[in-house]
Amino acid sequence: MFELGREKALSIVYGTFLIVSLEILFLRIFPQLYPLINTIPLLFLAHLLKLLPFLYSIIFSIFFFFLINNFDFLFGDIFSTKLFLNFITISSIIFYLSFLLNKKEIKDEKVLVNLVLFSIIVVNIIMFFFFSENEQAQLREYFLKFTKEFLKSSNELQNVNSSSLVDIIVKIIPGINIFSFLTTLLLNFQLTRILIEKMNFKNVYTFRLTSFEIPNWVFLMFNIFLVLSIMMEGNAKYFFLNCLIVLSFLIFYEGFAAFYKIFKKYEINNFLKFLIIFLLFIFLGYVLFLVLFVIGFYINLKKVLSRVIKT
């Protein structure tokens, strides 16, 4: 580490301290919001450090959390195994994002496409190694209780087969989690960028994805996954369904970019714009996600049809 030089060594030490202290602080003070804000320390550091010091900071942070997880008799029950694995997952994706941003020849649009494709690999690793039958059973039990309570309060939906619906939801949880993670990742990326600008720190990267258009092959792949998820049965069906959900993030984001293009015409402070968009996602939830996805799908379908008509 000392071969990196004194300044870089210090930046690694401070970076590790920043990640560990803020992660534990957020977990203790805001446990309910932790899944939404746990990327902020890593993203904040990613804006400030170059690739190699950032990598070392992540490695040392993982090592520290490993010690906390395995020596709970010394540290107490601060960081569970699930949180430890979750931290490894998010730090891997954020480091890959930094790696892509470090490649100056890769355009911003390709950065996002490559990040989503990498996330598809991650979701399949999670499904294969960590999403055990025991965890699925626990989730199934939780969702069954929730749906039964919900259906009891609605006379019209009492005849709905909640068991089959819950089984589908449980199987696609990995894909939904990665989609949600990518959404909060980009929101937190913009938030940390704004904070760094306000604090007059130098930002390592200039990643501003306000306009976005997915390649035709991505839209083709999405439709192939859609057809395969309908045709297949068993585990293969849910494999393609999870890939479909993660890949749909790109179509959703293109819809969001089209919405933002109209929204930015209004002369409003950038932080206020971010706050309005954040509140729209909080209060409208899945309705807004669906609307933006439909906009993105329509844009791509129109683009494909216009090309077919021309030929």
Side-chain angles (χ1 to χ4, degrees), residues 219 222-223 251 292-302:
F219 188 63
F222 174 84
N223 285 284
I251 297 173
L292 294 177
F293 172 79
V294 170
I295 292 170
F297 191 88
Y298 170 76
I299 291 168
N300 282 279
L301 186 62
K302 185 180 177 181

Side-chain angles (χ1 to χ4, degrees), residues 77-138:
D77 188 19
I78 299 174
F79 221 70
S80 66
T81 303
K82 284 185 180 179
L83 288 172
F84 176 65
L85 293 173
N86 179 67
F87 180 77
I88 292 174
T89 303
I90 65 169
S91 58
S92 300
I93 294 174
I94 292 172
F95 175 74
Y96 185 68
L97 173 61
S98 298
F99 172 78
L100 292 171
L101 293 173
N102 196 56
K103 298 285 185 181
K104 303 298 182 184
E105 65 274 12
I106 300 178
K107 294 180 180 179
D108 287 350
E109 290 184 356
K110 287 187 177 179
V111 167
L112 189 57
V113 171
N114 284 310
L115 182 69
V116 172
L117 293 177
F118 179 73
S119 299
I120 289 175
I121 296 170
V122 170
V123 75
N124 286 300
I125 292 171
I126 291 170
M127 284 179 66
F128 187 79
F129 290 104
F130 305 115
F131 201 46
S132 64
E133 288 294 331
N134 183 42
E135 290 210 354
Q136 289 183 43
Q138 288 178 1

